Amino acid sequence: MKIFKVNILLHLVLALFCLKLKAQQTKQGELNARVQNSKGEPVQGASVISLGNEITNTDKEGAFSIITTPGKRLVITALGYQSLTIDADTTLKLITLKSEADQVQVAFQKQDRSEILGGVSNFNVAEMLEKNYYMSTSDYLSSFLPGYNGTNGNVWGSGTLTMVDGVPRDIGNVLPTEIDQITLLKGAQAVALYGSQASRGVLIVTTKRGTSGQDAFKVRFNAGVFTPRGYPDYVGAAEYMTLYNEARRNDGAGTLYDDVTINNTASGKNLFRYPDVNYYSSEFLKKSVNRADVTAEFRGGNEKARFYANMGFYQQGSLLNVGTGKDEGVSRFNVRGNLDIKFNKAITGKINASLAYYDTKTAKGNYWGNAATLRPNWYAPLIPLSAVENPNDPKWQTFKDSPFLVDGQYLVGGRQDMTTTPFGALYTQGLEKYSSRQFQFDAGLNFDLGSALKGLTFNTVFGLDYYNRFYLSENINDYSVQVATWNANDKITNIQRYGLVDKASRGRSLTDAYQRLVTFYSGQFNYKNTFNKVHNVSGLLLVNAFLRQISEVYHGDGNANLGFQAGYNYDQKYYVDFTSNYVHSAKLESQNSNAFSPVVTVGWRMSKEKFLAKSSVVNDLRLTATAGILHTDMDFTEYFLFRSAYGNGDAFRFNEGRQSNGTNVLRGANANLVFVQRKELNFGVDATLFNRLLQVNASYYRIEMNGLPLKNANAYPNYFVFGSTNFIPAIENYNNNLYTGFDFGASINKRVGQVGLNVGLTGTYINNKALKRREVYEAKWSYLSRVGQPVDGIWGLQSDGFFMNQAQINASPSQTGIAGSSLRAGDLKYVDQNGDGKIDNNDIVYLARSTPSFILGLNITAKWKNFTLFMLLNGATGGKGNKTNDYFRVRQERKYSEYVRDRTIINKDVSGNWEVTQLGAYPRLTTTAGDNNFRDSDFWLYDNSYINLSKVQLSYDFPTGVIKSKIVKNLGVYVSGFDLLTISKNRKILQTNIGAAPQLTFFNLGVKATL
């Protein structure tokens, strides 16, 4: 018995010893492993945290070593990657982190990039900023997002709804440094959950968020200069007067300017008496404009709370170098804070808030607008008191006492018929200050309901945005303009004042105050689960609503809808998805105010089939197809169109003498107005090829927009309109449009020696045409029909050269209907389309598209050691521009541009008839309205195709060992240039702004640091 007891005791001691030995071995376990991304590249600087408070970081090879207990939880975090929590295991050698870029924000959820069923483009802004600093969120988006037209903000030819962190917001109110990613939802299946307002496409902007276990403080500073790309080229004063005299002779009138005046002006001997004002000269404008910005970012946190904060400020000056124009400028200050909270295992939440102050200071006088219209000889901006005769004469004292004496010696110049001038405003008036204040807030809660049903969650978000703006004019003063009388000795003998009496009243005025309040709410149930490892099921049920209220606008603009989505895929091979919404509109009669929108998508990952599973070429290949119908009311700009509108009418008198006001019907009712329908069919392909060397995605779409609004006055008899009364409905559903096209994106990643290359290419082709219009034409008038022609078409007359003489005018179809009696040799001749012997609006034909049909973007990144070179090119073709402004169509007394130098010159022949004596590329000059020449025709169209070198940036990141500082962890510098070169047949036209500030090229020097 004793032996038995001793035996038991020995076994117990041995067991305890083994347990103790195992515990000692466990405590001393060392884990050596490497962290990589999904591409197999090492992740440097990742934090590896043991819940026993041990922490280490990976080296440049992604390797780390940590003492931990097997089975303990390890948390691996890295900037730009999803956090990963695993059980410690000393046999573990390789850990793979998923990039945050692999998670794409789509409608009300994030999805793995590989699981998105087409109709979506995505752009990682945070990653791009590391090699490509840029200033505005909307810059160059079409170069990174296939399907987006940066010219007009359209998606697949239609408008766009912008969502920032899930709330409808303006894209201009969030800067690139605040953004994590931008997603473009194009296809019906992608936008359906957002309801009516999203039926033309959605741009989702997702801001950055905090990380757990790795705090980071980043600072970025930029300073640069803008230089004008070019100014309009107007003729000088002497040349203007010569040309204007010629124009008057062409019209049969006498000359206005004598040779003495023209010669004295040309000599430049006295510019105060013979002005020759070049508004674009260095006398009034600076050569460059400075800009600077600074941004600080702080992100971090732990398992319980993660935070991100961004604070930024930028300031930019003005080109004006005259008077208060020197003080023009723009500044913006912004603060953003995003917080994620984990209350417990089942409940998490988020709070986002941002604040932005935007201020501009603008000089009065509309300098750029007047620079494009005021003739160079029209007036002298300043009158010098030094030129007065007998300066001690008391009559000059009143002028010397003016509160607006410029530089102590000049009076403000002008004309009797021009008592306010741009220079007068610059020298006598204060600035107009534009201020806007924006506060944005949204908060959400996420509930994990897995205890009730595995894979079930609930999310809710509430948003509130407030925006206001106003214009404050300061230092408003009364001023006069002066006109001098000169003698033969170039002395001023008299000065005449016109306008108000000079008075420094320093008044103030507040105008155009505007307020906007946006409220947003969404609540949704989500379900995601996998059965038997191959059956993947997902679902979503949501309610979504927002209301935009604007000051002094009676009815707020809003959107409300229910959304439902159900998806299934078998082993990530075969996919089917059903998405729908049920929308409501307050713009339609109650029986028509609700609509159901169904969308079905199917997908097939061919690369998982046996015949491709072992392919050395195809790594991943998936095809998708979508069909659906969406409903929208966004084309209706007014509410209550289903009701008649009434207003006060004219007074009428009864026989007994009583008088009363009548009532006018302003528009008729249309209770049959219904939603516009978007009927869509699209196909997509996503492929990764050649051992992940090449990634390609492409989409084709066909979209019909049916029931677009039309004011159909032709369908009603004349008696529906009587005086101020109009019984015709404001609009009805009638027009149909068709949009077709394709887009693609491709990227290549390859290492050539020590150089890592990445090339990205995007392209978007957009075609459209009208399917249905309210028109009835006989066969011989079919060329007038808009049906079958592009929606964005330019229509006009077809030119046929110039009339060379009166005989040609007499032998041609009559143009008096458009030109009157002023038709001359040197005027444009037009084609008589219908052969009726006259030119009128019945000869108008389709000429060209006004927007490009094809948009291309190319970005190239080359990395060598610590240097990174980035280049961005974009281009467009397939559209025409129209020379519509006075820079090209110079009529009456307008300012002459360089284009008139190649004019057609006419003179009278021996019979007294006009004939062309010198044929040019431009019509003859005229002082009339030019009704014949200056109307829309193919003569004024130009090819606006271009290729633009939009960006070049060279960056250098200092090696970690070089920065021997306890404060600065990483440091980088870069130089960059924006809009450096344009290649185009009509480059000068494309680069020249008329009546506005010039286009600018920007050169920048930047520094970024991690502290």
Side-chain angles (χ1 to χ4, degrees):
M1 188 68 174
K2 290 183 180 180
I3 296 175
F4 177 75
K5 290 181 178 180
V6 171
N7 192 34
I8 293 294
L9 181 61
L10 289 174
H11 278 82
L12 287 172
V13 171
L14 182 61
L16 289 173
F17 177 77
C18 291
L19 288 172
K20 182 178 179 181
L21 180 61
K22 181 178 181 181
Q24 289 176 344
Q25 290 173 344
T26 301
K27 288 180 182 179
Q28 296 178 356
E30 184 176 5
L31 172 60
N32 296 287
R34 190 170 68 87
V35 179
Q36 67 175 14
N37 60 22
S38 56
K39 297 178 182 179
E41 300 168 335
V43 177
Q44 182 180 1
S47 295
V48 183
I49 308 166
S50 169
L51 294 188
N53 296 324
E54 183 76 18
I55 184 169
T56 188
N57 294 310
T58 58
D59 59 21
K60 65 180 181 179
E61 300 298 329
F64 72 92
S65 177
I66 190 170
I67 303 297
T68 186
T69 302
K72 267 196 174 183
R73 306 292 281 174
L74 287 182
V75 179
I76 300 95
T77 63
L79 285 176
Y81 295 89
Q82 300 174 46
S83 297
L84 179 65
T85 301
I86 60 174
D87 293 331
D89 184 349
T90 54
T91 63
L92 186 65
K93 298 302 179 184
L94 191 62
I95 300 171
T96 301
L97 293 182
K98 282 189 175 182
S99 170
E100 289 180 350
D102 293 334
Q103 286 280 299
V104 176
Q105 182 68 53
V106 293
F108 297 99
Q109 59 186 313
K110 279 193 173 184
Q111 287 187 349
D112 284 339
R113 187 181 301 274
S114 61
E115 299 301 304
I116 296 174
L117 296 179
V120 176
S121 301
N122 181 259
F123 168 40
N124 191 309
V125 178
E127 184 179 286
M128 180 60 65
L129 275 176
E130 292 302 310
K131 57 185 179 182
N132 173 32
Y133 158 78
Y134 63 107
M135 299 170 286
S136 173
T137 300
S138 57
D139 285 350
Y140 319 124
L141 279 183
S142 59
S143 298
F144 300 107
L145 294 173
Y148 186 77
N149 184 346
T151 304
N152 50 26
N154 282 355
V155 178
W156 283 358
S158 300
T160 315
L161 171 69
T162 300
M163 307 289 288
V164 179
D165 287 335
V167 180
R169 289 166 175 160
D170 297 331
I171 192 171
N173 287 331
V174 58
L175 298 180
T177 55
E178 304 173 64
I179 299 173
D180 178 43
Q181 61 175 268
I182 296 177
T183 305
L184 180 67
L185 307 183
K186 303 170 289 187
Q189 77 281 12
V191 304
L193 292 175
Y194 282 111
S196 175
Q197 295 289 311
S199 63
R200 305 295 182 86
V202 182
L203 199 64
I204 300 178
V205 178
T206 305
T207 59
K208 297 175 181 176
R209 311 210 66 80
T211 56
S212 60
Q214 187 174 28
D215 295 345
F217 183 63
K218 291 186 175 183
V219 179
R220 181 188 294 265
F221 174 74
N222 295 279
V225 294
F226 287 99
T227 59
R229 302 191 76 183
Y231 290 117
D233 188 359
Y234 291 100
V235 303
E239 188 177 3
Y240 170 81
M241 289 185 282
T242 302
L243 293 170
Y244 187 75
N245 281 344
E246 178 185 322
R248 287 177 60 87
R249 287 194 299 268
N250 291 345
D251 296 330
T255 59
L256 180 66
Y257 300 104
D258 58 64
D259 291 341
V260 173
T261 301
I262 294 175
N263 291 334
N264 285 334
T265 302
S267 69
K269 70 173 190 174
N270 186 347
L271 294 177
F272 298 105
R273 183 176 183 179
Y274 303 102
D276 186 2
V277 182
N278 179 2
Y279 289 83
Y280 302 98
S281 73
S282 58
E283 181 181 2
F284 309 123
L285 301 177
K286 303 170 188 174
K287 293 183 178 180
S288 62
V289 179
N290 296 329
R291 186 190 190 279
D293 69 62
V294 60
T295 304
E297 298 178 273
F298 187 33
R299 65 197 306 177
N302 52 39
E303 288 296 300
K304 292 293 184 181
R306 295 177 288 115
F307 60 88
Y308 171 79
N310 181 298
M311 182 180 295
F313 177 79
Y314 78 75
Q315 191 169 32
Q316 182 177 322
S318 167
L319 282 170
L320 290 182
N321 200 26
V322 182
T324 53
K326 298 177 182 178
D327 301 320
E328 283 190 336
V330 179
S331 64
R332 186 183 191 272
F333 172 74
N334 67 278
V335 177
R336 174 177 295 278
N338 295 342
L339 177 65
D340 294 280
I341 306 170
K342 183 177 181 181
F343 297 103
N344 53 46
K345 291 182 179 180
I347 303 175
T348 61
K350 68 171 184 178
I351 299 175
N352 304 325
S354 70
L355 184 68
Y357 291 165
Y358 181 81
D359 296 286
T360 67
K361 296 184 292 183
T362 305
K364 296 176 184 175
N366 187 19
Y367 185 88
W368 298 109
N370 280 309
T373 58
L374 295 179
R375 286 159 278 177
N377 67 319
W378 200 231
Y379 73 101
L382 299 174
I383 304 297
L385 285 176
S386 59
V388 299
E389 190 175 49
N390 301 321
N392 296 323
D393 191 322
K395 72 177 181 179
W396 305 122
Q397 191 60 44
T398 302
F399 298 102
K400 294 178 181 179
D401 292 338
S402 170
F404 305 122
L405 204 60
V406 179
D407 295 336
Q409 57 179 326
Y410 298 104
L411 298 171
V412 175
R415 290 172 57 94
Q416 183 177 0
D417 58 352
M418 188 178 181
T419 57
T420 60
T421 71
F423 291 104
L426 288 169
Y427 285 121
T428 68
Q429 304 297 297
L431 296 167
E432 182 176 68
K433 298 181 179 179
Y434 166 83
S435 297
S436 71
R437 303 292 182 259
Q438 169 192 279
F439 173 72
Q440 297 180 343
F441 172 85
D442 59 270
L445 287 173
N446 308 311
F447 299 89
D448 187 344
L449 305 179
S451 58
L453 178 64
K454 183 181 178 182
L456 182 65
T457 61
F458 177 75
N459 313 107
T460 182
V461 175
F462 171 77
L464 180 67
D465 291 358
Y466 177 74
Y467 169 87
N468 72 51
R469 70 158 192 244
F470 61 85
Y471 291 85
L472 176 63
S473 294
E474 295 185 318
N475 202 10
I476 302 173
N477 302 309
D478 297 335
Y479 75 97
S480 61
V481 297
Q482 281 67 221
V483 178
T485 301
W486 300 79
N487 62 19
N489 298 319
D490 275 351
K491 289 294 184 179
I492 298 174
T493 59
N494 186 51
I495 297 177
Q496 184 65 48
R497 272 182 168 163
Y498 298 100
L500 302 173
V501 177
D502 288 349
K503 182 180 179 181
S505 51
R506 306 194 185 283
R508 306 179 83 199
S509 173
L510 184 68
T511 59
D512 198 20
Y514 170 96
Q515 298 180 67
R516 183 181 67 212
L517 180 67
V518 177
T519 53
F520 173 87
Y521 173 79
S522 71
Q524 65 189 75
F525 285 97
N526 311 283
Y527 178 74
K528 191 172 184 179
N529 207 347
T530 300
F531 299 93
N532 296 328
K533 297 183 180 181
V534 294
H535 300 287
N536 302 293
V537 180
S538 64
L540 184 150
L541 178 65
L542 70 86
V543 58
N544 165 41
F546 77 85
L547 178 64
R548 184 186 294 113
Q549 297 171 291
I550 299 174
S551 56
E552 300 183 9
V553 176
Y554 172 73
H555 202 294
D557 179 33
N559 179 72
N561 72 282
L562 298 173
F564 173 75
Q565 184 179 41
Y568 169 79
N569 75 74
Y570 175 78
D571 197 24
Q572 282 80 45
K573 184 189 296 186
Y574 306 114
Y575 297 79
V576 61
D577 180 275
F578 176 77
T579 305
S580 63
N581 67 47
Y582 188 74
V583 295
H584 172 78
S585 173
K587 298 177 181 179
L588 305 175
E589 184 65 284
S590 57
Q591 69 267 22
N592 300 324
S593 61
N594 300 308
F596 177 69
S597 302
V599 183
V600 176
T601 301
V602 294
W604 177 28
R605 178 166 273 115
M606 294 178 62
S607 54
K608 297 199 77 171
E609 299 291 353
K610 292 181 179 180
F611 59 85
L612 283 177
K614 297 182 179 181
S615 172
S616 60
V617 175
V618 178
N619 306 115
D620 187 40
L621 176 61
R622 189 180 57 178
L623 307 178
T624 60
T626 297
I629 301 175
L630 301 180
H631 295 84
T632 179
D633 67 351
M634 63 185 299
D635 296 279
F636 308 136
T637 57
E638 299 179 53
Y639 284 82
F640 307 111
L641 293 170
F642 51 87
R643 299 177 185 173
S644 297
Y646 303 90
N648 291 329
D650 299 330
F652 62 91
R653 186 180 300 273
F654 292 93
N655 288 336
E656 61 269 26
R658 290 186 298 111
Q659 181 173 307
S660 179
N661 287 330
T663 298
N664 288 336
V665 180
L666 303 181
R667 70 162 188 255
N670 184 1
N672 297 319
L673 201 64
V674 297
F675 286 94
V676 175
Q677 286 189 339
R678 167 179 169 171
K679 297 182 177 180
E680 178 179 333
L681 180 66
N682 72 63
F683 301 95
V685 57
D686 291 90
T688 303
L689 308 172
F690 305 112
N691 196 25
R692 304 190 180 278
L693 172 68
L694 174 64
Q695 292 182 322
V696 179
N697 64 81
S699 301
Y700 167 81
Y701 63 90
R702 185 186 188 277
I703 300 172
E704 283 189 32
M705 298 298 297
N706 293 339
L708 293 164
L710 166 72
K711 185 166 186 177
N712 194 8
N714 295 332
Y716 296 86
N718 292 337
Y719 58 77
F720 268 62
V721 180
F722 181 78
S724 300
T725 293
N726 188 337
F727 287 98
I728 299 175
I731 57 173
E732 61 182 72
N733 301 101
Y734 195 86
N735 289 349
N736 296 341
N737 293 338
L738 174 65
Y739 300 88
T740 59
F742 64 86
D743 63 60
F744 64 87
S747 64
I748 297 176
N749 290 280
K750 186 174 178 60
R751 191 161 193 87
V752 181
Q754 294 184 336
V755 179
L757 288 176
N758 175 271
V759 179
L761 179 68
T762 63
T764 301
Y765 174 76
I766 303 169
N767 193 21
N768 59 66
K769 66 179 179 179
L771 293 180
K772 182 181 178 183
R773 291 294 186 270
R774 173 63 73 180
E775 57 186 29
V776 179
Y777 293 111
E778 299 177 22
K780 66 177 182 178
W781 306 90
S782 60
Y783 59 88
L784 290 172
S785 176
R786 268 55 175 174
V787 175
Q789 301 292 358
V791 176
D792 55 352
I794 301 173
W795 291 73
L797 297 172
Q798 183 180 350
S799 61
D800 190 22
F802 296 107
F803 288 115
M804 299 301 293
N805 49 50
Q806 188 62 40
Q808 284 191 1
I809 295 175
N810 296 337
S812 299
S814 173
Q815 295 187 190
T816 56
I818 61 173
S821 59
S822 63
L823 197 63
R824 297 273 196 279
D827 285 338
L828 286 170
K829 180 170 59 174
Y830 298 109
V831 175
D832 182 10
Q833 302 290 343
N834 54 21
D836 62 358
K838 60 182 179 181
I839 303 298
D840 54 23
N841 286 337
N842 289 326
D843 296 298
I844 289 175
V845 295
Y846 166 74
L847 301 175
R849 291 185 58 177
S850 61
T851 56
S853 58
F854 186 68
I855 302 166
L856 189 70
L858 174 67
N859 66 85
I860 302 171
T861 304
K863 290 187 176 183
W864 178 73
K865 295 185 178 180
N866 292 83
F867 289 95
T868 303
L869 176 66
F870 176 84
M871 297 177 64
L872 175 65
L873 296 95
N874 52 35
T877 188
K880 296 283 187 181
N882 195 357
K883 303 173 186 175
T884 57
N885 57 51
D886 290 337
Y887 189 71
F888 305 102
R889 305 185 188 187
V890 187
R891 66 192 82 196
Q892 297 170 326
E893 296 181 344
R894 301 295 199 275
K895 193 172 184 177
Y896 287 130
S897 71
E898 59 176 327
Y899 286 92
V900 305
R901 290 177 175 144
D902 192 14
R903 65 199 178 280
T904 295
I905 298 175
I906 63 172
N907 285 290
K908 288 189 175 181
D909 60 16
V910 294
S911 301
N913 294 318
W914 292 100
E915 67 174 358
V916 172
T917 56
Q918 181 177 322
L919 183 63
Y922 191 87
R924 70 173 179 94
L925 300 182
T926 180
T927 59
T928 71
D931 291 335
N932 182 80
N933 298 329
F934 304 134
R935 62 177 54 245
D936 285 343
S937 72
D938 57 354
F939 178 82
W940 300 105
L941 301 186
Y942 64 93
D943 184 358
N944 58 11
S945 302
Y946 69 90
I947 296 175
N948 191 41
L949 179 57
S950 300
K951 186 70 184 294
V952 175
Q953 177 169 314
L954 179 63
S955 307
Y956 179 76
D957 294 317
F958 289 90
T960 305
V962 173
I963 308 301
K964 297 180 180 179
S965 171
K966 295 182 179 180
I967 299 176
V968 180
K969 297 179 181 178
N970 296 293
L971 180 65
V973 296
Y974 51 90
V975 291
S976 54
F978 296 68
D979 297 319
L980 299 172
L981 174 67
T982 297
I983 301 173
S984 173
K985 179 181 178 181
N986 295 292
R987 177 184 58 83
K988 191 168 184 179
I989 296 176
L990 295 176
Q991 290 185 178
T992 303
N993 288 349
I994 310 299
Q999 299 177 38
L1000 302 169
T1001 293
F1002 185 55
F1003 299 96
N1004 181 71
L1005 173 63
V1007 179
K1008 58 182 181 179
T1010 301
L1011 308 179

